[in-house]
Amino acid sequence: MQQVNNPSPMQQAINPAPLQQVLKPAETTKINPVPLQKLIKHDRSMITMSDDNMMVKQIHATHAPDGREFDVKPLFQLVEDILNRATPGVDPLISAAQTRIETSDDRTNQASFIALLEALSFTIDRISCEIAYKSLGGGDAHAMTLSIFNLLTSYSWEAKLVLTLSAFAVNYGEFWLLAQISSSNQLAKSMAILKQVPTILEHSGQLKPRFDALNNLIRAMVAITRCIIEFKELPSMYISQDVPALATAMKHIPTAVYWTIRSVVACATQITTFTSMGHEYWISATNEAWELSTMAHKINSILDLLKKQLTLCYQYIDDKRNAETFQMLLNLFESIHIDNMKILRALISPKDDVQPLLEGSTKRRVNIDVLRRKNVLLLISGLSISHDELSILDQIYNESRVHGTRMESQYEVVWIPVVDRSVVWTDAMQDRFVTLQATMPWYSVYTPTLIDKAVIRFIKEVWHFRNKPILVVLDPQGRVVSPNAIHMMWIWGSTAFPFTSLREEALWKEETWRLELLVDGIDPTVLNWVKEGKFIYLYGGTDMEWIRKFTTTARAVASAARIPLEMVYVGKSNKREQVRKCITSITTDNLSYCWQDLTMVWFFWTRLESMLFSKIQLGRGDDDDSMLREIKKLLSYDKEGGWAVLSKGSFVFVNGHSSTVLPTFTEYNLWKDDVPPKGFDIACMDFHSKLHSDSQPCCRFEFPSEVGRIPEKIRCPECLRIMEKYITFGCCHDENAISALY
């Protein structure tokens, strides 16, 4: 029997048959790859269909993951880098992708990644060969895409995408690598000629629309792959697949994977067309740029939908994490600690920033340990904290530092800036933050981004911060000993150390209704008058006609009664510009003494308001407290015109509205005979009381919505009834007010 020897593949390679035996005459012409239009023209209906149910069923039939998973991120980063460097004539595929690749951990050099590539290289090569073969042989694009799905049956959706993109990147990267280095490398030059690269580059101007369309499609493919990987990386401890946003995304991910792999087929076919057909064909195929753009539009439409769901997922996770952190903070403040470090780290440095603080005097970044076991005053404010507030705080703080060995100096202040994270951080806001930080002699958080959203929620809900600055006091063990010591600080300065609620109670027990309570720490001139036992009239308002009548009449009465009189204009709690004009007029006409520095005017009214808020915070805001009633009267008179407080030394004998104080002096003849037996102060007080009982002005208090603790009810200081409650809107046209955007 005759033995037939079949040549082995190696023998065939070494001793190939004559070319004429391999190719029949009809086959000696060029093998044409299927044009891209043929791959897509039957699919336009699918591209515009709103329902891809049939296609989804087909790809689901190929999807049978075996449970084995691998981290696709390092492989995807490698593919992204290849496509980014290969893509010609356009901006980088992904903004900052290059930076991310170079600055992130280079996991591609790790042994585990090398082992992973070894395990996946066969699959990647199979996909690459499948795409190349089907692109040359022609056929339906849908069938070609399904054949790739059949190769990747056991892989997850994101792995299918990354492996297919890897296969494409091998060929695409090789093509453009030859284009980039062929001029300097002979081997590359020879290979480039085989692949018609010089000819392609020669006609690059005519091919630019197709290159642009190809680049846009690749950009879309990379973007949607990254988006799908992000869904895979969502932490399962915070979100499950029954959450609507994630459920919607998971429903659309198979469709997204299908169209992305199908786009890979289209891109690969385009590259095959470049390397296997003449330039006459490239130039004549005018519709292919449009076909690629159509695919990109499809991918981007799906991407937009997925991005919306991803945003919702991140918001859901953020809310869950914030709720968890918020609860952790609640538990932390209910626990006992040996020092304040856990508390401060949770508030100021939840992300374990090594140096989260800026030291005030040196402007160096420091570790949070500088606050260990110290009394810490957390100055919490927005960027709208005013120059007046900072100026007075700075003065009080520096005065306490002068006496470094006194107990009053044994505390540290830390500024915690609270900003709305939903508002875009602008250059103007950054400039405002830096300016504020530069003026502070105490510690401050290095940047507002260190303050976690859950911490901001805690500050607002538990410590009742709105927009007005508050001063939360922590003792050396991190316990809150005062929810807001800002009122203590305004009223008594560092004397209020250690700024506890108990200390606040004790200080109030020592106080009486006297002139020093109103002007202490503001103006030493007035305090000297008090020591000298002079008659002192504080007055305010912005009605210059009333101011002239009051000061003129008061001086005439003082002259007639032969009493030493000093008068001080203290302005109004708002209407800053009108107060400035009044000060100018009073000074020009020499009507009385004025505080030229408007910060002193501001501090007078801030201290007065703080007295009310301090009482409210201590739960004493509605008690039968004669001192509190006088404070309320004065605050109410400020809202209803002019007023005056009359004193002899420390003793305040009249606290009245303009409607009763001026008539008291204009009708001096009616009570002047009481002056010799009673004394001027008592005689004046008795007559004013009669007028006051006949004509009681309406009382009104205003609590800005930015004040954290607003009382549910408040008693009238005149008739002691519960006052009616209204909501009002106001504007004082203060051009110097800081923008509410801060």
Side-chain angles (χ1 to χ4, degrees), residues 665-684:
F665 289 132
T666 56
E667 297 178 18
Y668 174 63
N669 288 331
L670 298 179
W671 55 275
K672 67 180 181 179
D673 292 338
D674 293 333
V675 172
K678 293 182 178 180
F680 182 87
D681 50 348
I682 303 301
C684 182

mmCIF file with all atom_site columns, all heavy atoms in Angstrom, residues 665-684:
data_model
loop_
_atom_site.group_PDB
_atom_site.id
_atom_site.type_symbol
_atom_site.label_atom_id
_atom_site.label_alt_id
_atom_site.label_comp_id
_atom_site.label_asym_id
_atom_site.label_entity_id
_atom_site.label_seq_id
_atom_site.pdbx_PDB_ins_code
_atom_site.Cartn_x
_atom_site.Cartn_y
_atom_site.Cartn_z
_atom_site.occupancy
_atom_site.B_iso_or_equiv
_atom_site.pdbx_formal_charge
_atom_site.auth_seq_id
_atom_site.auth_comp_id
_atom_site.auth_asym_id
_atom_site.auth_atom_id
_atom_site.pdbx_PDB_model_num
ATOM 1   N N   . PHE A 1 665 ? -37.308 115.952 79.968 1.00 0.00 ? 665 PHE A N   1
ATOM 2   C CA  . PHE A 1 665 ? -36.440 117.131 80.066 1.00 0.00 ? 665 PHE A CA  1
ATOM 3   C C   . PHE A 1 665 ? -37.161 118.414 79.652 1.00 0.00 ? 665 PHE A C   1
ATOM 4   O O   . PHE A 1 665 ? -36.937 119.482 80.251 1.00 0.00 ? 665 PHE A O   1
ATOM 5   C CB  . PHE A 1 665 ? -35.192 116.934 79.216 1.00 0.00 ? 665 PHE A CB  1
ATOM 6   C CG  . PHE A 1 665 ? -34.233 115.918 79.783 1.00 0.00 ? 665 PHE A CG  1
ATOM 7   C CD1 . PHE A 1 665 ? -33.697 114.923 78.990 1.00 0.00 ? 665 PHE A CD1 1
ATOM 8   C CD2 . PHE A 1 665 ? -33.866 115.952 81.109 1.00 0.00 ? 665 PHE A CD2 1
ATOM 9   C CE1 . PHE A 1 665 ? -32.811 113.989 79.501 1.00 0.00 ? 665 PHE A CE1 1
ATOM 10  C CE2 . PHE A 1 665 ? -32.989 115.026 81.645 1.00 0.00 ? 665 PHE A CE2 1
ATOM 11  C CZ  . PHE A 1 665 ? -32.457 114.027 80.844 1.00 0.00 ? 665 PHE A CZ  1
ATOM 12  N N   . THR A 1 666 ? -38.022 118.325 78.650 1.00 0.00 ? 666 THR A N   1
ATOM 13  C CA  . THR A 1 666 ? -38.734 119.543 78.224 1.00 0.00 ? 666 THR A CA  1
ATOM 14  C C   . THR A 1 666 ? -39.704 120.022 79.311 1.00 0.00 ? 666 THR A C   1
ATOM 15  O O   . THR A 1 666 ? -40.028 121.213 79.383 1.00 0.00 ? 666 THR A O   1
ATOM 16  C CB  . THR A 1 666 ? -39.505 119.290 76.910 1.00 0.00 ? 666 THR A CB  1
ATOM 17  O OG1 . THR A 1 666 ? -40.387 118.178 77.092 1.00 0.00 ? 666 THR A OG1 1
ATOM 18  C CG2 . THR A 1 666 ? -38.560 119.008 75.754 1.00 0.00 ? 666 THR A CG2 1
ATOM 19  N N   . GLU A 1 667 ? -40.147 119.105 80.166 1.00 0.00 ? 667 GLU A N   1
ATOM 20  C CA  . GLU A 1 667 ? -41.063 119.469 81.258 1.00 0.00 ? 667 GLU A CA  1
ATOM 21  C C   . GLU A 1 667 ? -40.330 119.513 82.598 1.00 0.00 ? 667 GLU A C   1
ATOM 22  O O   . GLU A 1 667 ? -40.883 119.202 83.661 1.00 0.00 ? 667 GLU A O   1
ATOM 23  C CB  . GLU A 1 667 ? -42.226 118.470 81.308 1.00 0.00 ? 667 GLU A CB  1
ATOM 24  C CG  . GLU A 1 667 ? -43.064 118.493 80.039 1.00 0.00 ? 667 GLU A CG  1
ATOM 25  C CD  . GLU A 1 667 ? -44.193 117.460 80.048 1.00 0.00 ? 667 GLU A CD  1
ATOM 26  O OE1 . GLU A 1 667 ? -44.537 116.976 81.154 1.00 0.00 ? 667 GLU A OE1 1
ATOM 27  O OE2 . GLU A 1 667 ? -44.710 117.139 78.975 1.00 0.00 ? 667 GLU A OE2 1
ATOM 28  N N   . TYR A 1 668 ? -39.092 119.928 82.554 1.00 0.00 ? 668 TYR A N   1
ATOM 29  C CA  . TYR A 1 668 ? -38.254 119.984 83.764 1.00 0.00 ? 668 TYR A CA  1
ATOM 30  C C   . TYR A 1 668 ? -38.878 120.857 84.848 1.00 0.00 ? 668 TYR A C   1
ATOM 31  O O   . TYR A 1 668 ? -38.774 120.574 86.055 1.00 0.00 ? 668 TYR A O   1
ATOM 32  C CB  . TYR A 1 668 ? -36.858 120.492 83.391 1.00 0.00 ? 668 TYR A CB  1
ATOM 33  C CG  . TYR A 1 668 ? -35.947 120.734 84.568 1.00 0.00 ? 668 TYR A CG  1
ATOM 34  C CD1 . TYR A 1 668 ? -35.558 119.689 85.400 1.00 0.00 ? 668 TYR A CD1 1
ATOM 35  C CD2 . TYR A 1 668 ? -35.493 122.029 84.864 1.00 0.00 ? 668 TYR A CD2 1
ATOM 36  C CE1 . TYR A 1 668 ? -34.715 119.916 86.491 1.00 0.00 ? 668 TYR A CE1 1
ATOM 37  C CE2 . TYR A 1 668 ? -34.652 122.265 85.941 1.00 0.00 ? 668 TYR A CE2 1
ATOM 38  C CZ  . TYR A 1 668 ? -34.272 121.203 86.748 1.00 0.00 ? 668 TYR A CZ  1
ATOM 39  O OH  . TYR A 1 668 ? -33.455 121.423 87.837 1.00 0.00 ? 668 TYR A OH  1
ATOM 40  N N   . ASN A 1 669 ? -39.565 121.900 84.427 1.00 0.00 ? 669 ASN A N   1
ATOM 41  C CA  . ASN A 1 669 ? -40.168 122.800 85.411 1.00 0.00 ? 669 ASN A CA  1
ATOM 42  C C   . ASN A 1 669 ? -41.174 122.093 86.308 1.00 0.00 ? 669 ASN A C   1
ATOM 43  O O   . ASN A 1 669 ? -41.442 122.545 87.430 1.00 0.00 ? 669 ASN A O   1
ATOM 44  C CB  . ASN A 1 669 ? -40.847 123.983 84.705 1.00 0.00 ? 669 ASN A CB  1
ATOM 45  C CG  . ASN A 1 669 ? -39.818 124.954 84.116 1.00 0.00 ? 669 ASN A CG  1
ATOM 46  O OD1 . ASN A 1 669 ? -38.699 125.066 84.648 1.00 0.00 ? 669 ASN A OD1 1
ATOM 47  N ND2 . ASN A 1 669 ? -40.187 125.653 83.050 1.00 0.00 ? 669 ASN A ND2 1
ATOM 48  N N   . LEU A 1 670 ? -41.746 120.991 85.815 1.00 0.00 ? 670 LEU A N   1
ATOM 49  C CA  . LEU A 1 670 ? -42.750 120.279 86.595 1.00 0.00 ? 670 LEU A CA  1
ATOM 50  C C   . LEU A 1 670 ? -42.145 119.443 87.712 1.00 0.00 ? 670 LEU A C   1
ATOM 51  O O   . LEU A 1 670 ? -42.847 119.071 88.666 1.00 0.00 ? 670 LEU A O   1
ATOM 52  C CB  . LEU A 1 670 ? -43.591 119.377 85.680 1.00 0.00 ? 670 LEU A CB  1
ATOM 53  C CG  . LEU A 1 670 ? -44.412 120.072 84.593 1.00 0.00 ? 670 LEU A CG  1
ATOM 54  C CD1 . LEU A 1 670 ? -45.177 119.047 83.747 1.00 0.00 ? 670 LEU A CD1 1
ATOM 55  C CD2 . LEU A 1 670 ? -45.400 121.067 85.228 1.00 0.00 ? 670 LEU A CD2 1
ATOM 56  N N   . TRP A 1 671 ? -40.876 119.143 87.642 1.00 0.00 ? 671 TRP A N   1
ATOM 57  C CA  . TRP A 1 671 ? -40.275 118.301 88.687 1.00 0.00 ? 671 TRP A CA  1
ATOM 58  C C   . TRP A 1 671 ? -38.984 118.876 89.287 1.00 0.00 ? 671 TRP A C   1
ATOM 59  O O   . TRP A 1 671 ? -38.338 118.235 90.133 1.00 0.00 ? 671 TRP A O   1
ATOM 60  C CB  . TRP A 1 671 ? -40.017 116.880 88.172 1.00 0.00 ? 671 TRP A CB  1
ATOM 61  C CG  . TRP A 1 671 ? -39.167 116.789 86.905 1.00 0.00 ? 671 TRP A CG  1
ATOM 62  C CD1 . TRP A 1 671 ? -39.599 116.881 85.634 1.00 0.00 ? 671 TRP A CD1 1
ATOM 63  C CD2 . TRP A 1 671 ? -37.757 116.571 86.845 1.00 0.00 ? 671 TRP A CD2 1
ATOM 64  N NE1 . TRP A 1 671 ? -38.553 116.738 84.734 1.00 0.00 ? 671 TRP A NE1 1
ATOM 65  C CE2 . TRP A 1 671 ? -37.406 116.527 85.457 1.00 0.00 ? 671 TRP A CE2 1
ATOM 66  C CE3 . TRP A 1 671 ? -36.756 116.405 87.791 1.00 0.00 ? 671 TRP A CE3 1
ATOM 67  C CZ2 . TRP A 1 671 ? -36.086 116.352 85.019 1.00 0.00 ? 671 TRP A CZ2 1
ATOM 68  C CZ3 . TRP A 1 671 ? -35.450 116.207 87.353 1.00 0.00 ? 671 TRP A CZ3 1
ATOM 69  C CH2 . TRP A 1 671 ? -35.126 116.181 85.966 1.00 0.00 ? 671 TRP A CH2 1
ATOM 70  N N   . LYS A 1 672 ? -38.617 120.090 88.867 1.00 0.00 ? 672 LYS A N   1
ATOM 71  C CA  . LYS A 1 672 ? -37.357 120.654 89.352 1.00 0.00 ? 672 LYS A CA  1
ATOM 72  C C   . LYS A 1 672 ? -37.362 120.885 90.860 1.00 0.00 ? 672 LYS A C   1
ATOM 73  O O   . LYS A 1 672 ? -36.310 120.843 91.508 1.00 0.00 ? 672 LYS A O   1
ATOM 74  C CB  . LYS A 1 672 ? -37.039 121.958 88.606 1.00 0.00 ? 672 LYS A CB  1
ATOM 75  C CG  . LYS A 1 672 ? -37.996 123.101 88.892 1.00 0.00 ? 672 LYS A CG  1
ATOM 76  C CD  . LYS A 1 672 ? -37.586 124.346 88.115 1.00 0.00 ? 672 LYS A CD  1
ATOM 77  C CE  . LYS A 1 672 ? -38.527 125.512 88.404 1.00 0.00 ? 672 LYS A CE  1
ATOM 78  N NZ  . LYS A 1 672 ? -38.113 126.734 87.668 1.00 0.00 ? 672 LYS A NZ  1
ATOM 79  N N   . ASP A 1 673 ? -38.588 121.107 91.427 1.00 0.00 ? 673 ASP A N   1
ATOM 80  C CA  . ASP A 1 673 ? -38.648 121.331 92.868 1.00 0.00 ? 673 ASP A CA  1
ATOM 81  C C   . ASP A 1 673 ? -38.364 120.064 93.665 1.00 0.00 ? 673 ASP A C   1
ATOM 82  O O   . ASP A 1 673 ? -38.090 120.132 94.875 1.00 0.00 ? 673 ASP A O   1
ATOM 83  C CB  . ASP A 1 673 ? -40.033 121.875 93.259 1.00 0.00 ? 673 ASP A CB  1
ATOM 84  C CG  . ASP A 1 673 ? -40.259 123.285 92.716 1.00 0.00 ? 673 ASP A CG  1
ATOM 85  O OD1 . ASP A 1 673 ? -39.244 123.960 92.424 1.00 0.00 ? 673 ASP A OD1 1
ATOM 86  O OD2 . ASP A 1 673 ? -41.415 123.679 92.561 1.00 0.00 ? 673 ASP A OD2 1
ATOM 87  N N   . ASP A 1 674 ? -38.447 118.897 92.976 1.00 0.00 ? 674 ASP A N   1
ATOM 88  C CA  . ASP A 1 674 ? -38.163 117.629 93.654 1.00 0.00 ? 674 ASP A CA  1
ATOM 89  C C   . ASP A 1 674 ? -36.669 117.326 93.695 1.00 0.00 ? 674 ASP A C   1
ATOM 90  O O   . ASP A 1 674 ? -36.243 116.385 94.387 1.00 0.00 ? 674 ASP A O   1
ATOM 91  C CB  . ASP A 1 674 ? -38.877 116.468 92.960 1.00 0.00 ? 674 ASP A CB  1
ATOM 92  C CG  . ASP A 1 674 ? -40.385 116.563 93.087 1.00 0.00 ? 674 ASP A CG  1
ATOM 93  O OD1 . ASP A 1 674 ? -40.847 117.163 94.065 1.00 0.00 ? 674 ASP A OD1 1
ATOM 94  O OD2 . ASP A 1 674 ? -41.085 116.022 92.200 1.00 0.00 ? 674 ASP A OD2 1
ATOM 95  N N   . VAL A 1 675 ? -35.887 118.111 92.965 1.00 0.00 ? 675 VAL A N   1
ATOM 96  C CA  . VAL A 1 675 ? -34.455 117.820 92.873 1.00 0.00 ? 675 VAL A CA  1
ATOM 97  C C   . VAL A 1 675 ? -33.735 118.026 94.205 1.00 0.00 ? 675 VAL A C   1
ATOM 98  O O   . VAL A 1 675 ? -32.969 117.147 94.637 1.00 0.00 ? 675 VAL A O   1
ATOM 99  C CB  . VAL A 1 675 ? -33.795 118.653 91.750 1.00 0.00 ? 675 VAL A CB  1
ATOM 100 C CG1 . VAL A 1 675 ? -32.283 118.499 91.778 1.00 0.00 ? 675 VAL A CG1 1
ATOM 101 C CG2 . VAL A 1 675 ? -34.358 118.257 90.396 1.00 0.00 ? 675 VAL A CG2 1
ATOM 102 N N   . PRO A 1 676 ? -33.972 119.168 94.914 1.00 0.00 ? 676 PRO A N   1
ATOM 103 C CA  . PRO A 1 676 ? -33.234 119.358 96.176 1.00 0.00 ? 676 PRO A CA  1
ATOM 104 C C   . PRO A 1 676 ? -33.492 118.251 97.201 1.00 0.00 ? 676 PRO A C   1
ATOM 105 O O   . PRO A 1 676 ? -32.539 117.724 97.781 1.00 0.00 ? 676 PRO A O   1
ATOM 106 C CB  . PRO A 1 676 ? -33.718 120.731 96.661 1.00 0.00 ? 676 PRO A CB  1
ATOM 107 C CG  . PRO A 1 676 ? -34.106 121.440 95.409 1.00 0.00 ? 676 PRO A CG  1
ATOM 108 C CD  . PRO A 1 676 ? -34.715 120.398 94.533 1.00 0.00 ? 676 PRO A CD  1
ATOM 109 N N   . PRO A 1 677 ? -34.777 117.874 97.453 1.00 0.00 ? 677 PRO A N   1
ATOM 110 C CA  . PRO A 1 677 ? -34.976 116.842 98.486 1.00 0.00 ? 677 PRO A CA  1
ATOM 111 C C   . PRO A 1 677 ? -34.604 115.428 98.020 1.00 0.00 ? 677 PRO A C   1
ATOM 112 O O   . PRO A 1 677 ? -34.134 114.610 98.814 1.00 0.00 ? 677 PRO A O   1
ATOM 113 C CB  . PRO A 1 677 ? -36.475 116.927 98.793 1.00 0.00 ? 677 PRO A CB  1
ATOM 114 C CG  . PRO A 1 677 ? -37.094 117.482 97.561 1.00 0.00 ? 677 PRO A CG  1
ATOM 115 C CD  . PRO A 1 677 ? -36.071 118.426 96.982 1.00 0.00 ? 677 PRO A CD  1
ATOM 116 N N   . LYS A 1 678 ? -34.860 115.092 96.760 1.00 0.00 ? 678 LYS A N   1
ATOM 117 C CA  . LYS A 1 678 ? -34.660 113.720 96.280 1.00 0.00 ? 678 LYS A CA  1
ATOM 118 C C   . LYS A 1 678 ? -33.303 113.504 95.619 1.00 0.00 ? 678 LYS A C   1
ATOM 119 O O   . LYS A 1 678 ? -32.795 112.375 95.564 1.00 0.00 ? 678 LYS A O   1
ATOM 120 C CB  . LYS A 1 678 ? -35.748 113.344 95.263 1.00 0.00 ? 678 LYS A CB  1
ATOM 121 C CG  . LYS A 1 678 ? -37.135 113.247 95.829 1.00 0.00 ? 678 LYS A CG  1
ATOM 122 C CD  . LYS A 1 678 ? -38.118 112.819 94.719 1.00 0.00 ? 678 LYS A CD  1
ATOM 123 C CE  . LYS A 1 678 ? -39.536 112.669 95.251 1.00 0.00 ? 678 LYS A CE  1
ATOM 124 N NZ  . LYS A 1 678 ? -40.473 112.251 94.178 1.00 0.00 ? 678 LYS A NZ  1
ATOM 125 N N   . GLY A 1 679 ? -32.765 114.554 95.097 1.00 0.00 ? 679 GLY A N   1
ATOM 126 C CA  . GLY A 1 679 ? -31.599 114.406 94.229 1.00 0.00 ? 679 GLY A CA  1
ATOM 127 C C   . GLY A 1 679 ? -32.054 114.360 92.781 1.00 0.00 ? 679 GLY A C   1
ATOM 128 O O   . GLY A 1 679 ? -33.179 113.941 92.461 1.00 0.00 ? 679 GLY A O   1
ATOM 129 N N   . PHE A 1 680 ? -31.189 114.815 91.871 1.00 0.00 ? 680 PHE A N   1
ATOM 130 C CA  . PHE A 1 680 ? -31.583 114.906 90.466 1.00 0.00 ? 680 PHE A CA  1
ATOM 131 C C   . PHE A 1 680 ? -31.961 113.540 89.905 1.00 0.00 ? 680 PHE A C   1
ATOM 132 O O   . PHE A 1 680 ? -32.959 113.401 89.183 1.00 0.00 ? 680 PHE A O   1
ATOM 133 C CB  . PHE A 1 680 ? -30.432 115.511 89.647 1.00 0.00 ? 680 PHE A CB  1
ATOM 134 C CG  . PHE A 1 680 ? -30.773 115.690 88.188 1.00 0.00 ? 680 PHE A CG  1
ATOM 135 C CD1 . PHE A 1 680 ? -31.396 116.852 87.748 1.00 0.00 ? 680 PHE A CD1 1
ATOM 136 C CD2 . PHE A 1 680 ? -30.483 114.693 87.246 1.00 0.00 ? 680 PHE A CD2 1
ATOM 137 C CE1 . PHE A 1 680 ? -31.721 117.017 86.406 1.00 0.00 ? 680 PHE A CE1 1
ATOM 138 C CE2 . PHE A 1 680 ? -30.804 114.846 85.907 1.00 0.00 ? 680 PHE A CE2 1
ATOM 139 C CZ  . PHE A 1 680 ? -31.423 116.010 85.480 1.00 0.00 ? 680 PHE A CZ  1
ATOM 140 N N   . ASP A 1 681 ? -31.184 112.519 90.202 1.00 0.00 ? 681 ASP A N   1
ATOM 141 C CA  . ASP A 1 681 ? -31.421 111.205 89.602 1.00 0.00 ? 681 ASP A CA  1
ATOM 142 C C   . ASP A 1 681 ? -32.767 110.614 90.013 1.00 0.00 ? 681 ASP A C   1
ATOM 143 O O   . ASP A 1 681 ? -33.526 110.129 89.177 1.00 0.00 ? 681 ASP A O   1
ATOM 144 C CB  . ASP A 1 681 ? -30.290 110.242 89.953 1.00 0.00 ? 681 ASP A CB  1
ATOM 145 C CG  . ASP A 1 681 ? -29.968 110.206 91.434 1.00 0.00 ? 681 ASP A CG  1
ATOM 146 O OD1 . ASP A 1 681 ? -30.461 111.076 92.166 1.00 0.00 ? 681 ASP A OD1 1
ATOM 147 O OD2 . ASP A 1 681 ? -29.210 109.299 91.854 1.00 0.00 ? 681 ASP A OD2 1
ATOM 148 N N   . ILE A 1 682 ? -33.108 110.679 91.297 1.00 0.00 ? 682 ILE A N   1
ATOM 149 C CA  . ILE A 1 682 ? -34.361 110.092 91.762 1.00 0.00 ? 682 ILE A CA  1
ATOM 150 C C   . ILE A 1 682 ? -35.554 110.912 91.267 1.00 0.00 ? 682 ILE A C   1
ATOM 151 O O   . ILE A 1 682 ? -36.579 110.355 90.852 1.00 0.00 ? 682 ILE A O   1
ATOM 152 C CB  . ILE A 1 682 ? -34.386 109.987 93.301 1.00 0.00 ? 682 ILE A CB  1
ATOM 153 C CG1 . ILE A 1 682 ? -33.185 109.162 93.784 1.00 0.00 ? 682 ILE A CG1 1
ATOM 154 C CG2 . ILE A 1 682 ? -35.700 109.354 93.774 1.00 0.00 ? 682 ILE A CG2 1
ATOM 155 C CD1 . ILE A 1 682 ? -33.135 107.755 93.232 1.00 0.00 ? 682 ILE A CD1 1
ATOM 156 N N   . ALA A 1 683 ? -35.427 112.249 91.306 1.00 0.00 ? 683 ALA A N   1
ATOM 157 C CA  . ALA A 1 683 ? -36.516 113.111 90.837 1.00 0.00 ? 683 ALA A CA  1
ATOM 158 C C   . ALA A 1 683 ? -36.793 112.864 89.357 1.00 0.00 ? 683 ALA A C   1
ATOM 159 O O   . ALA A 1 683 ? -37.952 112.777 88.930 1.00 0.00 ? 683 ALA A O   1
ATOM 160 C CB  . ALA A 1 683 ? -36.154 114.581 91.086 1.00 0.00 ? 683 ALA A CB  1
ATOM 161 N N   . CYS A 1 684 ? -35.724 112.755 88.578 1.00 0.00 ? 684 CYS A N   1
ATOM 162 C CA  . CYS A 1 684 ? -35.876 112.483 87.133 1.00 0.00 ? 684 CYS A CA  1
ATOM 163 C C   . CYS A 1 684 ? -36.501 111.115 86.917 1.00 0.00 ? 684 CYS A C   1
ATOM 164 O O   . CYS A 1 684 ? -37.398 110.956 86.087 1.00 0.00 ? 684 CYS A O   1
ATOM 165 C CB  . CYS A 1 684 ? -34.519 112.577 86.464 1.00 0.00 ? 684 CYS A CB  1
ATOM 166 S SG  . CYS A 1 684 ? -34.565 112.310 84.682 1.00 0.00 ? 684 CYS A SG  1
#
